[in-house]
Amino acid sequence: MSKLVTMGEAVAELVPDGSSVVMGTCLESMIPFAAGHELIRRGRRDLTLIGPISDILFDQLIGAGCVARVEAAWVGNVSAGLGHGYRRAAEQGRPRRIEIVDHSNLSIALGLHAGALGVPFLPTRSLLGSDIAAGSAAFEEQRDPWSDDRLLAVRAIRPDIAIVAVQRSDEEGDAHVWGNLGVTHDAVMAAERVILLAEEIVGADEIRSDPNRVLVPGFRVSAVVHSPGACHPSPVQGRYRRDHDSYGAYHEATRDEDGFADWLREWVLDVPDRDAYLELLGPRWEELRDLHEALAAPVDYGW
Amino acid sequence: MSKLVTMGEAVAELVPDGSSVVMGTCLESMIPFAAGHELIRRGRRDLTLIGPISDILFDQLIGAGCVARVEAAWVGNVSAGLGHGYRRAAEQGRPRRIEIVDHSNLSIALGLHAGALGVPFLPTRSLLGSDIAAGSAAFEEQRDPWSDDRLLAVRAIRPDIAIVAVQRSDEEGDAHVWGNLGVTHDAVMAAERVILLAEEIVGADEIRSDPNRVLVPGFRVSAVVHSPGACHPSPVQGRYRRDHDSYGAYHEATRDEDGFADWLREWVLDVPDRDAYLELLGPRWEELRDLHEALAAPVDYGW
Amino acid sequence: MGFEIGELMVAAAAREIRDEERVFVGMRLPMLAFFLARRTHAPGTVGIFENGVVRDRPSPAPLATMSDTPNVVGALWCGGMLEPMSLLQRREVDVGFIGGAEVDRFGNVNSSYIGDPRRPNVKLPGSGGGADIASLARRILLIMPHDRRRLTERVGYVTSPGFGDGPGWRSRVGLPPGGPSALITTMAVFRFPDGEALLESWHPGFDADDVRRETGWDVRLAPGAGPTEPPSDEDLAVIQELDPEGIWTRR
Amino acid sequence: MGFEIGELMVAAAAREIRDEERVFVGMRLPMLAFFLARRTHAPGTVGIFENGVVRDRPSPAPLATMSDTPNVVGALWCGGMLEPMSLLQRREVDVGFIGGAEVDRFGNVNSSYIGDPRRPNVKLPGSGGGADIASLARRILLIMPHDRRRLTERVGYVTSPGFGDGPGWRSRVGLPPGGPSALITTMAVFRFPDGEALLESWHPGFDADDVRRETGWDVRLAPGAGPTEPPSDEDLAVIQELDPEGIWTRR
């Protein structure tokens, strides 16, 4: 049964106001910017954003006023450092106050892993003595029942929805993904609903030819959006490179609120969909897709 | 730096008497029988065997008197049911008494996963009320700090050594493996030392062409043994099928201790190495390797 | 009777699977039941194997174990054991199959020890994934040969927990809701409406008294108990296609 | 002076890496230091990136982030984040690099909040993996710009724990042994023999008093303190090969 929908349909039906959304699960690559921009265009409000290192995607959604709460290890601009949108919200409450639940990369990975495993928490030896854990509802100190060692229990994170990008998917949501995967697998297993942004839609037999590379059984996927270029300016292995200049330009353009508003209009609000966005990029988009081939060695699942 | 050694060298140097050894990590496939037979030939004693479902490998080692302790979810003969060697040891203490630490598949997977993650335990909702957990040193009841729900803490398992088979490896232990993987990844990460049995030795560039398919960073591997056919009679995806008849024949031949001794002599003690073993199989070995090809779809890691 | 008991058991088990359900599939009869359900009334089911395979089509060749090479080919997903087990623990598995050496009136299963575990008369292979399926699936189906020594008042060792000592036990020990919904034997089908086995039907060639004689507890009838519904012609055609040599259903 | 401070910092950091060590590699100067060490005295080191990449050769093209496409190509291993983090937690990572906005006399790092966290003057991006590296690596190397406001007596918020309030603190709170072994700044190198920063060396163009003036705590000298060893010609040649446009070392 095909789960193919447009980005607009996916966001409209699966991401209501107030949803908790995990994105940016591969860290600096495969960030689903196209979905974030659609959330902004639809004026989503009171979202909880969850992710290890979201690069500028979270900054954009926060700056656009979509976000009530952030659970993350790092929010900023990987190329330029600080994120102005995040800072304005955290420091001045503009455009609105946000609640921040601080994590480290390991603790957010463990929270999602607990959600994926179906247990209420997972223990770690990290963050003991860090102010990240002190007084946070995401953590509880506990003891190892055998050694009595101190441990930190990281509470399970179960997002309402995971939005992740994949290189190729069939129409039912059986998908191949490759490259650095970050917390993608656990995010998709922990979330109640999953939207895949697929660079390419392929036949089911192509996916089934390599079941070890399948992200997640398709029955955990709610919707598949065919959205080539969905991750620009972040990279997708085998599809396009990172557009470093975009990050610098965003940093410069969004130093103040007026600049942010202008940036948002130019790149999000006045852009109807991803195709129009890619057109706006001009010849740069072609250049970013001019890659050196690097084919994986053949694998025979012979039986 | 090459880690290539013979099976004899690997077992002699890395698996002393008294070692705890995890094997059979893929469940019914890729069981490292060749390594088990070498352990028997070298007269290893007081081993602890760890694995979910070991099929007849554990039965053979127990029957040969190599084993002091078994930590497993299931020990027997998947084709025929009960394992006579295991029964004789557990019921009559012959050839020696063994200690049995009962697990379920999930609990042994979690024990190894805890070892892999570097935490002293992992919580589960399984096995509450099962006699497997009652009074076992492998488990402690605990409570979720948030909901106060009952949970079972599964103690970390950190084997001295993991012996696993792979389809192909380079000389440094960077290896590709495919098919159903069971607890292989966690076993290799949890163990202090790792021996890989490689069906094929390939160049480093072949492995590096597909880093997502690499089992484990090579620095966790202590030794690589080039041992085609190491898993017979269990199957290896893309290499050979399961030899079902061997399991039935073993079951019939080992009903009593004399029969077991005869079987052991014929298939292990009088067989100097794996090449001789495969010769003993005769034309059957050729037939088992006559497979239907099933190639994975190409993947481009283009950059 | 134009069919074997094995075929009837497969058809009876298949009827327990509803469309779109996620099924923890064992080998032999359960696997046939799963694919029969898929081919008849439940085309949207998905099968999950604990070795790390998820699939919805029969494998291209018959299987003796779930890790045989044909089971990976054409799979929807393939990886490690923790993922299928996590689906269970997240309560996303609707139904799982369990066998065992002994079962009792409350659906508890022993597949570990006959006699004192410290010096057993018989050491059975153990849980495998059975105890996890029994703990965590939303409901389980028990498949067993019918024998007075196997269907016993109280198992000596609970490998795979059913309803313990009766209503309320699962939540008291911390287990999620679940437990056996049916016990399908070579003679009969039992149900567990309140945690205790009630005889629902007996297979062709047997009656309730036969079942009583071969059961180790005091058999009580479910309301409306009667003969087991035989497999349909369609069921039989599909089963014979899935198991052409009758290895599992006709030996 | 025939080199830039960035090049000196890279060479100084590289000298901290011993052969065969497993290094948690950050971007920029730490990555250059790792590959410099590999090319000179430590050919057996392996680099681990928290996004799931393990590699021992420089990527085929320069990286701005660890998830750039060239970093995956030719990697020894690539997967999820939990695996590199588990190597840390299993204490198999010998050395990790950390930066941050503020560091104090006991090597605690703040990369979260300047001012009251509930109403911060500056909201910094946060830990990323820094707090985990600081908690779990066998030792860490701190790399920072030298500035009196950044090298402060006591950080207002401990993102990445160093030695807390001094000797014994790590074990008291439950952290494994570890903590900073060196703080390499744009002016100087400090060591932490007993959990407290001692000035070991000052870079060319500076002396101990310059460092004192630009440091927010009362600077104490390590025994034998003196000028920082400059990069060798070989160091400089390799650095210039790794960073031909001087993006990180010369901007």
Side-chain angles (χ1 to χ4, degrees):
Chain A
M1 211 175 48
S2 174
K3 295 171 184 167
L4 267 181
V5 296
T6 65
M7 188 74 81
E9 289 165 345
V11 164
E13 286 168 29
L14 297 170
V15 198
D17 284 355
S19 300
S20 62
V21 190
V22 57
M23 294 190 283
T25 57
C26 290
L27 282 71
E28 299 93 343
S29 58
M30 299 190 89
I31 301 172
F33 280 97
H37 292 187
E38 187 67 25
L39 288 167
I40 293 172
R41 277 192 291 268
R42 295 198 170 242
R44 280 293 174 272
R45 287 294 175 268
D46 298 327
L47 300 178
T48 291
L49 300 184
I50 300 165
I53 284 179
S54 49
D55 218 320
I56 56 175
L57 174 61
F58 283 9
D59 196 74
Q60 293 172 7
L61 283 155
I62 292 164
C66 305
V67 180
R69 179 181 161 104
V70 175
E71 303 181 21
W74 195 95
V75 179
N77 181 325
V78 174
S79 287
L82 299 169
H84 302 301
Y86 186 46
R87 282 194 61 183
R88 273 191 292 269
E91 296 164 16
Q92 306 163 39
R94 299 183 62 93
R96 57 163 292 179
R97 291 227 143 270
I98 57 170
E99 183 190 352
I100 296 172
V101 180
D102 285 302
H103 271 278
S104 69
N105 275 347
L106 176 52
S107 75
I108 203 155
L110 288 174
L112 291 166
H113 194 48
L117 288 170
V119 290
F121 74 89
L122 285 175
T124 180
R125 295 188 189 275
S126 191
L127 300 188
L128 292 160
S130 164
D131 286 335
I132 292 174
S136 167
F139 304 98
E140 279 287 341
E141 274 212 35
Q142 62 169 187
R143 297 279 184 164
D144 172 22
W146 284 276
S147 68
D148 204 41
D149 281 0
R150 277 175 200 274
L151 295 166
L152 201 64
V154 182
R155 194 172 190 177
I157 299 173
R158 297 192 179 86
D160 294 327
I161 186 135
I163 306 181
V164 303
V166 297
Q167 277 93 345
R168 60 191 179 206
S169 176
D170 68 19
E171 295 189 350
E172 300 191 43
D174 304 295
H176 282 172
V177 60
W178 58 93
N180 54 285
L181 302 177
V183 299
T184 304
H185 185 259
D186 283 325
V188 165
M189 294 296 258
E192 198 173 323
R193 301 184 293 278
V194 176
I195 298 175
L196 295 188
L197 310 188
E199 289 290 326
E200 188 185 1
I201 302 296
V202 300
D205 287 343
E206 184 167 340
I207 302 300
R208 286 168 190 246
S209 75
D210 195 356
N212 283 143
R213 213 185 289 277
V214 176
L215 172 62
V216 68
F219 61 72
R220 293 218 91 256
V221 173
S222 307
V224 180
V225 179
H226 182 211
S227 182
C231 301
H232 177 274
S234 72
V236 175
Q237 199 77 34
R239 296 293 189 259
Y240 40 90
R241 277 192 300 272
R242 188 168 189 269
D243 185 2
H244 307 306
D245 293 345
S246 277
Y247 293 84
Y250 174 79
H251 189 70
E252 292 309 318
T254 61
R255 280 186 187 281
D256 61 39
E257 285 183 277
D258 286 348
F260 183 87
D262 290 343
W263 182 91
L264 201 67
R265 205 163 27 247
E266 181 181 357
W267 287 99
V268 181
L269 298 178
D270 287 353
V271 180
D273 59 20
R274 200 62 178 175
D275 287 345
Y277 174 97
L278 298 175
E279 246 174 68
L280 209 57
L281 286 177
R284 190 151 44 129
W285 179 230
E286 199 61 48
E287 286 157 26
L288 291 167
R289 285 183 297 158
D290 181 19
L291 303 184
H292 304 265
E293 191 179 75
L295 290 177
V299 159
D300 182 1
Y301 281 90
W303 51 279
Chain B
M1 213 178 46
S2 174
K3 295 171 184 166
L4 267 181
V5 295
T6 65
M7 188 75 79
E9 290 165 345
V11 164
E13 287 167 30
L14 297 171
V15 197
D17 285 354
S19 299
S20 62
V21 190
V22 58
M23 293 189 284
T25 56
C26 289
L27 283 71
E28 299 93 342
S29 58
M30 298 189 88
I31 301 172
F33 280 97
H37 292 187
E38 187 68 25
L39 289 167
I40 294 172
R41 276 193 292 270
R42 298 203 166 238
R44 280 293 175 270
R45 288 293 175 268
D46 299 327
L47 300 177
T48 291
L49 299 184
I50 300 165
I53 283 179
S54 50
D55 217 323
I56 56 175
L57 175 61
F58 283 10
D59 196 73
Q60 293 172 6
L61 284 155
I62 292 165
C66 306
V67 180
R69 179 181 161 105
V70 175
E71 303 182 19
W74 195 97
V75 179
N77 180 324
V78 174
S79 287
L82 299 169
H84 302 301
Y86 186 46
R87 281 195 61 185
R88 273 191 293 272
E91 296 165 16
Q92 305 161 40
R94 298 182 61 96
R96 58 164 293 176
R97 292 227 145 269
I98 57 170
E99 184 190 351
I100 295 171
V101 180
D102 285 302
H103 272 278
S104 69
N105 275 348
L106 176 52
S107 75
I108 203 153
L110 289 174
L112 291 167
H113 194 49
L117 288 170
V119 291
F121 73 89
L122 285 175
T124 179
R125 296 188 188 274
S126 191
L127 299 188
L128 292 161
S130 164
D131 286 335
I132 293 174
S136 168
F139 305 98
E140 280 286 342
E141 276 212 35
Q142 61 170 184
R143 299 277 184 165
D144 172 23
W146 284 276
S147 68
D148 204 42
D149 282 359
R150 276 175 200 275
L151 295 167
L152 200 62
V154 183
R155 195 173 190 178
I157 300 173
R158 297 192 180 87
D160 294 326
I161 185 136
I163 305 181
V164 304
V166 298
Q167 278 94 343
R168 61 191 178 206
S169 176
D170 68 19
E171 295 189 350
E172 300 192 43
D174 304 296
H176 282 172
V177 59
W178 58 94
N180 54 285
L181 302 178
V183 298
T184 304
H185 185 261
D186 283 326
V188 165
M189 294 296 258
E192 198 173 323
R193 301 184 293 280
V194 176
I195 298 176
L196 295 187
L197 311 188
E199 290 290 326
E200 188 184 2
I201 302 295
V202 300
D205 288 343
E206 184 166 339
I207 302 299
R208 285 165 190 247
S209 76
D210 195 355
N212 283 144
R213 212 184 290 277
V214 176
L215 172 61
V216 67
F219 61 70
R220 292 217 90 257
V221 173
S222 306
V224 181
V225 180
H226 183 210
S227 182
C231 301
H232 177 275
S234 72
V236 175
Q237 199 78 32
R239 296 292 188 259
Y240 40 91
R241 278 192 298 274
R242 189 170 188 268
D243 184 2
H244 306 307
D245 293 344
S246 277
Y247 293 84
Y250 174 79
H251 189 70
E252 292 309 318
T254 61
R255 280 188 187 279
D256 60 40
E257 285 183 276
D258 286 347
F260 182 86
D262 290 343
W263 182 91
L264 202 65
R265 209 165 21 248
E266 181 181 357
W267 289 98
V268 181
L269 299 177
D270 288 354
V271 180
D273 58 21
R274 200 61 178 177
D275 287 345
Y277 174 97
L278 297 174
E279 246 174 66
L280 208 58
L281 285 177
R284 192 152 42 127
W285 180 231
E286 200 58 50
E287 286 156 27
L288 291 167
R289 286 183 295 158
D290 181 20
L291 303 183
H292 304 264
E293 190 179 75
L295 290 177
V299 159
D300 182 1
Y301 281 90
W303 49 281
Chain C
M1 180 168 105
F3 51 84
E4 300 289 324
I5 287 293
E7 292 171 319
L8 174 137
M9 291 171 76
V10 167
R15 282 195 298 269
E16 300 288 323
I17 298 171
R18 299 165 205 148
D19 198 11
E20 303 288 336
E21 287 195 325
R22 295 159 192 176
V23 183
F24 227 75
V25 186
M27 293 305 298
R28 302 166 193 254
L29 301 191
M31 192 174 69
L32 294 178
F34 165 72
F35 285 116
L36 173 60
R38 238 192 104 79
R39 284 282 295 277
T40 54
H41 63 281
T45 55
V46 175
I48 300 161
F49 296 84
E50 57 198 315
N51 63 350
V53 170
V54 175
R55 65 183 303 132
D56 59 355
R57 305 172 183 166
S59 56
L63 305 176
T65 83
M66 63 179 73
S67 305
D68 286 5
T69 50
N71 203 29
V72 172
V73 173
L76 287 168
W77 185 86
C78 182
M81 187 159 73
L82 217 41
E83 287 84 354
M85 286 290 172
S86 299
L87 289 171
L88 263 180
Q89 195 159 243
R90 281 209 315 277
R91 309 280 290 154
E92 297 188 11
V93 174
D94 298 292
V95 54
F97 286 93
I98 294 189
E102 290 184 337
V103 63
D104 68 21
R105 195 155 60 94
F106 297 109
N108 305 297
V109 172
N110 176 15
S111 48
S112 300
Y113 298 93
I114 306 292
D116 178 356
R118 282 161 306 177
R119 258 188 189 268
N121 298 327
V122 184
K123 177 66 192 91
L124 302 162
S127 158
D132 306 309
I133 298 168
S135 298
L136 300 170
R138 290 187 169 270
R139 66 184 195 280
I140 62 168
L141 300 172
L142 302 169
I143 310 282
M144 307 254 297
H146 203 123
D147 178 319
R148 199 179 167 81
R149 286 163 309 168
R150 284 168 168 268
L151 278 68
T152 183
E153 170 66 21
R154 206 64 197 277
V155 293
Y157 184 100
V158 177
T159 309
S160 300
F163 297 105
D165 57 13
W169 180 85
R170 287 183 71 95
S171 83
R172 213 158 57 236
V173 298
L175 284 174
S181 70
L183 162 62
I184 300 171
T185 76
T186 44
M187 289 181 83
V189 176
F190 294 82
R191 282 214 183 264
F192 298 80
D194 296 305
E196 190 184 329
L198 302 184
L199 177 60
E200 180 179 72
S201 70
W202 38 89
H203 303 340
F206 303 110
D207 61 21
D209 281 338
D210 294 327
V211 175
R212 272 199 189 92
R213 222 171 2 252
E214 286 300 317
T215 301
W217 64 77
D218 187 19
V219 171
R220 292 166 53 202
L221 295 190
T228 307
E229 186 185 327
S232 69
D233 290 347
E234 186 195 2
D235 290 341
L236 291 172
V238 174
I239 292 168
Q240 282 156 26
E241 190 185 316
L242 292 169
D243 184 26
E245 297 174 48
I247 298 171
W248 296 319
T249 49
R250 281 173 281 153
R251 321 190 201 191
Chain D
M1 179 169 106
F3 49 84
E4 301 288 325
I5 286 294
E7 291 171 320
L8 175 138
M9 291 171 77
V10 167
R15 283 195 297 271
E16 300 289 323
I17 298 172
R18 299 167 204 145
D19 199 10
E20 303 289 336
E21 288 196 325
R22 296 159 191 175
V23 183
F24 228 76
V25 186
M27 293 306 298
R28 302 166 195 256
L29 301 193
M31 192 175 68
L32 294 180
F34 165 71
F35 285 115
L36 173 59
R38 235 192 107 78
R39 285 281 296 277
T40 53
H41 62 282
T45 53
V46 175
I48 300 161
F49 296 84
E50 58 199 315
N51 62 350
V53 170
V54 174
R55 68 182 302 133
D56 59 357
R57 304 171 183 169
S59 57
L63 305 175
T65 83
M66 63 178 75
S67 305
D68 286 6
T69 50
N71 203 29
V72 172
V73 173
L76 286 168
W77 185 86
C78 182
M81 187 159 72
L82 216 42
E83 286 85 354
M85 285 290 171
S86 299
L87 289 172
L88 263 181
Q89 195 159 244
R90 279 208 318 277
R91 309 280 289 153
E92 296 188 12
V93 174
D94 298 291
V95 55
F97 287 94
I98 294 188
E102 290 183 339
V103 64
D104 68 21
R105 195 155 60 95
F106 297 108
N108 305 297
V109 171
N110 176 16
S111 47
S112 300
Y113 298 94
I114 305 292
D116 178 355
R118 283 162 306 180
R119 257 188 190 270
N121 298 327
V122 183
K123 177 67 192 90
L124 301 162
S127 159
D132 306 310
I133 299 168
S135 297
L136 300 170
R138 289 185 169 272
R139 65 183 196 279
I140 62 168
L141 300 172
L142 302 169
I143 310 281
M144 307 251 302
H146 204 124
D147 178 319
R148 203 181 163 78
R149 286 162 309 167
R150 283 168 169 270
L151 277 66
T152 181
E153 170 65 23
R154 205 63 197 276
V155 293
Y157 184 100
V158 177
T159 308
S160 300
F163 296 105
D165 58 14
W169 181 85
R170 285 182 72 95
S171 83
R172 214 160 56 237
V173 298
L175 285 175
S181 70
L183 162 61
I184 300 171
T185 75
T186 43
M187 288 181 83
V189 177
F190 294 84
R191 284 218 178 262
F192 298 81
D194 297 305
E196 190 184 329
L198 302 184
L199 176 60
E200 181 179 71
S201 70
W202 39 90
H203 304 340
F206 304 111
D207 62 21
D209 282 339
D210 294 327
V211 175
R212 272 200 188 89
R213 224 175 358 256
E214 285 301 316
T215 301
W217 62 78
D218 186 18
V219 170
R220 291 166 54 204
L221 294 191
T228 306
E229 185 185 328
S232 69
D233 290 347
E234 187 195 2
D235 289 342
L236 290 172
V238 174
I239 291 168
Q240 281 156 27
E241 192 184 314
L242 293 169
D243 185 25
E245 297 173 47
I247 299 172
W248 297 319
T249 47
R250 281 173 282 154
R251 325 188 200 193

